[in-house]
Amino acid sequence: MTLLLLALNLLDLEKLALAQNAAYQQAVIQLRIAEGQRQQAGLYPNPSIGFNSEHNSPNPAVRWGSNGGFLSQRIVTGNKRGIEKAIADREVDEARARRDLARFELTGHLRRLYYQALGEQQSLAVREQLAKTATETAGVFRQLLNTGLADEPDVLAADVEAQRAEVRLSQARLALARTRQQLTALVQQELGAEPLDGDFFALPALERAAVWSLIEAENPEFTLPGISIRRSELQLAQARQARIPDVFARGGVRYNRELSEITRGAIGPEGIFDLSVELPLFNRQQGAIAAAKAMRARAALEPARVRRSVDSRFAEVWQAYEQARTAAQRYQREMLPATEKALTLYRANYKAMSGTYPNVLQTQRTYFQLQEEYLETLQSGWAAVAVLDARLVSYNP
């Protein structure tokens, strides 16, 4: 089989997809939102400044009342600000993990489509060759009919075979066009008519333990449960610390116009100062604490659930990869070479007038069928490789 010389590079397509894909860009923006919220979290409450007026009368003869200014401040207690900052840090960690998740999902989808298109390019080349050969075969049978070496049913069967080959060729063209349209939609940029660049026949040899180690280290699905557990613990601490009331302080200076019995004049400047706290009589955060405990219990179950899910999906994908690679090696090393040799021998015998053309035709049909089966097997293998490369092992062949 001839390897096509191709042009569109997978790495370039991935760069285009990451730059243009709306879902991934939304995840990137969500991370910036979380970083901004982290910057805001834990900032100390602003003080308030105001004007105070008491016991004033519009009657100018009345000599009492006071006017002045004050400054008030809420004093945060119980390390609430520190907990709020820590929760915001976990929100940033989650947003970063979800951005990575979106990137892996996008690149995994792109690679599956890319390798599918590579296979369809090769399948198109095989079916073009098959259609050409079937047309030539139909012509040969007409010549044999004229010389009395073939019957009319043989000619009709050859014509049907040629038409069938043309239909399958048309189907291959449509399949490749559909996949390229899907690639165009994913990268959100017109790809043109250039073929794709890649060695479709070089299915990589992967080592199970090494692949699983990469998945454990890089799959955001393993990161998110830990973030959720830590955040739930902080939320429980936040609910508990909310029972400690903050202190509200207010102080200022005002001028008191009330007459002093000592000086017989206005009392004059005086200071004011207030302190207050909320009494936790009715609201002691009972519901918030109960909800936070339940969320912590739920989060504690997530790591085991995720691991079971990923383990199961990995086993499915790895089995598909191993089956495809084993079968592809047999096609490449045994079945295709043997059938090609048999075809060469049958053609030589026919030319030497020591063999019949139906033998050539049957072996030729078998050879092309094996080529298509080989390509389908490689496509299945590349679909599994794309999933394993994406670290998410979400398999949907």
Side-chain angles (χ1 to χ4, degrees):
M1 300 180 70
T2 304
L3 176 64
L4 297 178
L5 298 177
L6 309 167
L8 285 177
N9 184 277
L10 176 59
L11 183 60
D12 292 337
L13 289 177
E14 287 183 351
K15 289 179 180 178
L16 279 175
L18 291 173
Q20 302 291 337
N21 186 266
Y24 175 70
Q25 288 303 316
Q26 284 177 329
V28 172
I29 293 171
Q30 185 60 45
L31 175 58
R32 294 206 299 266
I33 292 172
E35 289 172 341
Q37 291 171 338
R38 177 178 61 183
Q39 183 180 6
Q40 183 66 31
L43 295 179
Y44 213 86
N46 288 325
S48 298
I49 188 170
F51 174 76
N52 176 265
S53 180
E54 294 182 353
H55 307 299
N56 283 293
S57 172
N59 188 344
V62 176
R63 298 295 301 276
W64 61 72
S66 59
N67 298 292
F70 67 87
L71 191 68
S72 66
Q73 176 67 54
R74 178 166 68 93
I75 301 171
V76 182
T77 62
N79 192 33
K80 298 185 184 74
R81 292 172 55 241
I83 295 174
E84 187 178 351
K85 288 179 181 178
I87 291 176
D89 285 336
R90 302 293 79 74
E91 297 290 346
V92 171
D93 292 342
E94 180 177 349
R96 184 176 293 113
R98 294 199 178 281
R99 178 205 61 186
D100 295 341
L101 189 66
R103 184 178 74 250
F104 282 135
E105 287 175 345
L106 176 60
T107 56
H109 188 195
L110 175 67
R111 290 182 183 193
R112 288 195 295 273
L113 288 175
Y114 185 84
Y115 293 131
Q116 180 177 329
L118 274 181
E120 288 169 349
Q121 284 182 166
Q122 298 294 340
S123 180
L124 178 61
V126 169
R127 291 188 183 184
E128 285 175 344
Q129 186 179 357
L130 175 59
K132 179 181 177 181
T133 302
T135 301
E136 291 174 352
T137 299
V140 169
F141 269 100
R142 289 192 187 91
Q143 294 176 3
L144 294 174
L145 178 64
N146 293 333
T147 59
L149 296 177
D151 298 326
E152 186 175 356
D154 295 329
V155 175
L156 293 174
D159 286 339
V160 170
E161 190 72 22
Q163 293 178 41
R164 182 170 176 266
E166 287 293 334
V167 170
R168 292 176 63 81
L169 175 60
S170 176
Q171 290 173 338
R173 289 192 179 112
L174 291 173
L176 178 59
R178 179 195 61 217
T179 304
R180 288 182 66 95
Q181 287 174 352
Q182 291 174 324
L183 278 171
T184 297
L186 199 61
V187 301
Q188 297 184 9
Q189 182 166 321
E190 186 60 44
L191 300 181
E194 293 83 359
L196 304 181
D197 181 19
D199 188 349
F200 183 70
F201 301 103
L203 190 65
L206 304 179
E207 201 276 316
R208 182 180 182 128
V211 173
W212 178 248
S213 295
L214 282 174
I215 290 172
E216 283 189 307
E218 299 181 21
N219 188 340
E221 290 181 274
F222 286 128
T223 304
L224 286 168
I227 297 171
S228 180
I229 289 173
R230 180 57 183 147
R231 182 175 55 197
S232 67
E233 292 171 346
L234 290 168
Q235 288 170 334
L236 177 57
Q238 185 181 49
R240 286 170 171 165
Q241 293 304 100
R243 296 177 298 183
I244 302 174
D246 292 339
V247 176
F248 293 86
R250 187 181 73 151
V253 177
R254 64 186 178 186
Y255 186 85
N256 192 341
R257 296 166 55 204
E258 186 176 350
L259 296 178
S260 170
E261 295 181 357
I262 299 174
T263 63
R264 301 298 179 182
I267 293 176
E270 60 183 7
I272 57 171
F273 187 75
D274 298 325
L275 278 178
S276 66
V277 295
E278 182 184 82
L279 295 177
L281 297 179
F282 310 112
N283 179 4
R284 295 186 298 276
Q285 301 296 313
Q286 303 97 314
I289 291 173
K293 287 180 178 179
M295 286 190 289
R296 183 181 63 177
R298 181 183 63 184
L301 298 173
E302 189 66 6
R305 186 198 68 80
V306 168
R307 179 163 289 277
R308 286 194 301 269
S309 174
V310 177
D311 282 348
S312 175
R313 283 149 38 200
F314 175 75
E316 180 186 358
V317 177
W318 188 260
Q319 182 183 33
Y321 163 74
E322 282 196 324
Q323 288 177 343
R325 187 163 184 269
T326 301
Q329 288 176 342
R330 294 198 63 179
Y331 277 109
Q332 182 184 27
R333 298 173 183 176
E334 299 174 23
M335 289 186 284
L336 281 170
T339 308
E340 186 175 14
K341 182 177 180 180
L343 180 59
T344 301
L345 292 173
Y346 275 127
R347 283 174 175 169
N349 290 340
Y350 175 72
K351 289 181 180 179
M353 303 297 290
S354 60
T356 62
Y357 198 78
N359 288 334
V360 176
L361 180 62
Q362 181 60 41
T363 308
Q364 184 174 271
R365 183 185 297 116
T366 301
Y367 181 61
F368 280 115
Q369 287 174 344
L370 286 174
Q371 283 184 313
E372 291 199 332
E373 291 171 9
Y374 176 42
L375 292 175
E376 290 172 359
T377 301
L378 285 173
Q379 276 199 328
S380 179
W382 276 115
V385 169
V387 170
L388 296 171
D389 281 347
R391 308 290 189 260
L392 300 182
V393 290
S394 179
Y395 191 52
N396 185 23

